[in-house]
Amino acid sequence: MIILSLRNASVILNGKIILNLVNFDLSEGDSMAIVGPSGSGKTTLGRLIAGWYSSATGEVLIRNNRTCRMVEQQDNFIAASHLRSGYYSQRYENLGLEDVPTVEQYLFQISTIENPGQRFVDIRNSLQKMDMLPLARRKLLLLSNGERKRIQLAAVLLQNPDILVLDQPFTGLDGSARQKLEELIFQLRKSGKTIILICDSRHVPEQIDRVLILEKASVSQFVARNEYVPPDPEKNETGTIENFLEKMRPTAPDPFEFAVVMKDIRVRMEDQDILKNINWSV
């Protein structure tokens, strides 16, 4: 059954066409990846589907009163912690974080905005689905990148949407965290949710049903995953990335054999190992 339809949908911002006459249908319980070069309109399409933008032409139809929610690429954890800024190593420290909410407190705060009757038991169930229950009492800004992505997803799941739009959820994750998040996303799909994933064109998950390719604000292809062919590595004015790096090699003989050597390096902050037994030569 068709759950989502776009008919000649367009987005115009500040007089500029960001999306132009987009058409496609998506069935209930299916999954779709939105790919394309930078500036092609991927995030704008996600926001249009989620209802953040209105279509300047045509229409966006979500059938049978189904609901849609979007998880943005960037989280709002610093603002939610009432801080003006943060820094990368903050997750390993406890300096100035006395008033920063825990994961559980944060989810309760944002969920009760839309649902005043939200209970902590619902929040714990959502955390359990994301395999995050042991982190319920951890300070929000002490989470790793992968943990932050899963908390964003847990927050949206509290609203029990039928359609999930995920904007670049794998950005900044290592291979292990990416695989874990990918497994969680497709467990949600198996539970009946319709998944729309905005991602890199070379890293479309195999489990995806269909791929929508945007180019210059328009749909260039809408194909089954097994028919999708990722693009060749992007070229710049100097050719491929490999050629570009080759041209950067110094012409004079190298004055040293190693640029960096690390032997049995260990770094700790508070009581947590950040680096342990690192041996690395460049």
Side-chain angles (χ1 to χ4, degrees):
M1 181 179 67
I2 301 296
I3 188 174
L4 173 67
S5 297
L6 272 70
R7 296 286 179 265
N8 293 325
S10 302
V11 174
I12 300 175
L13 299 176
N14 298 321
K16 181 179 179 181
I17 298 175
I18 310 298
L19 282 175
N20 189 34
L21 303 178
V22 174
N23 291 274
F24 70 86
D25 294 315
L26 194 63
S27 296
E28 186 172 14
D30 277 354
S31 58
M32 177 180 78
I34 301 173
V35 302
S38 179
S40 59
K42 301 185 296 295
T43 295
T44 299
L45 179 54
R47 291 175 176 175
L48 177 64
I49 294 169
W52 295 19
Y53 293 145
S54 297
S55 184
T57 63
E59 58 186 356
V60 178
L61 296 174
I62 297 179
R63 303 177 189 278
N64 300 324
N65 295 318
R66 300 305 172 90
T67 58
C68 178
R69 294 291 183 272
M70 182 173 182
V71 178
E72 287 224 90
Q73 181 176 352
Q74 301 295 329
D75 60 59
N76 67 340
F77 292 171
I78 291 177
S81 301
H82 309 292
L83 299 176
R84 291 185 177 181
S85 63
Y87 51 93
Y88 184 76
S89 65
Q90 198 166 19
R91 61 179 172 170
Y92 303 120
E93 305 170 6
N94 287 294
L95 302 177
L97 299 182
E98 295 82 4
D99 297 328
V100 172
T102 64
V103 166
E104 193 173 50
Q105 289 168 340
Y106 165 74
L107 292 176
F108 185 75
Q109 288 170 8
I110 64 170
S111 64
T112 51
I113 293 174
E114 289 199 19
N115 182 8
Q118 192 72 260
R119 303 171 302 162
F120 270 106
V121 66
D122 300 322
I123 291 169
R124 296 212 153 225
N125 288 338
S126 183
L127 285 171
Q128 192 165 25
K129 287 180 182 178
M130 292 294 99
D131 195 23
M132 296 284 286
L133 193 55
L135 299 180
R137 304 271 176 100
R138 180 173 293 187
K139 293 287 189 180
L140 200 60
L141 295 186
L142 301 183
L143 300 173
S144 70
N145 287 340
E147 290 165 349
R148 289 167 84 115
K149 292 292 184 182
R150 281 185 279 159
I151 291 303
Q152 284 182 274
L153 194 50
V156 167
L157 288 179
L158 284 168
Q159 302 172 47
N160 195 29
D162 303 291
I163 304 172
L164 272 172
V165 181
L166 308 173
D167 190 4
Q168 303 287 1
F170 306 123
T171 298
L173 303 190
D174 60 27
S176 175
R178 176 192 171 97
Q179 182 179 1
K180 192 165 191 175
L181 182 58
E182 193 172 304
E183 290 171 355
L184 288 169
I185 289 170
F186 285 98
Q187 284 175 14
L188 294 172
R189 183 200 164 204
K190 289 179 181 178
S191 71
K193 296 191 183 298
T194 301
I195 304 294
I196 298 174
L197 183 66
I198 302 170
C199 64
D200 183 279
S201 58
R202 293 164 297 172
H203 299 104
V204 177
E206 292 295 332
Q207 302 97 317
I208 284 286
D209 295 307
R210 300 184 68 80
V211 180
L212 185 144
I213 305 170
L214 287 174
E215 291 183 8
K216 298 180 179 179
S218 299
V219 177
S220 64
Q221 294 184 62
F222 185 46
V223 297
R225 176 63 181 89
N226 58 8
E227 298 173 1
Y228 171 66
V229 179
D232 292 330
E234 293 184 10
K235 294 185 177 181
N236 53 33
E237 291 133 354
T238 59
T240 64
I241 294 297
E242 289 78 8
N243 291 339
F244 177 72
L245 293 175
E246 187 63 32
K247 290 182 178 181
M248 291 178 63
R249 287 183 180 276
T251 55
D254 295 335
F256 51 81
E257 182 178 3
F258 294 103
V260 177
V261 177
M262 297 185 185
K263 294 183 178 180
D264 299 324
I265 294 296
R266 187 183 189 188
V267 177
R268 287 177 63 84
M269 287 187 179
E270 300 291 334
D271 59 348
Q272 185 173 355
D273 282 320
I274 311 306
L275 297 174
K276 188 176 181 180
N277 300 329
I278 300 297
N279 291 276
W280 184 33
S281 298
V282 179

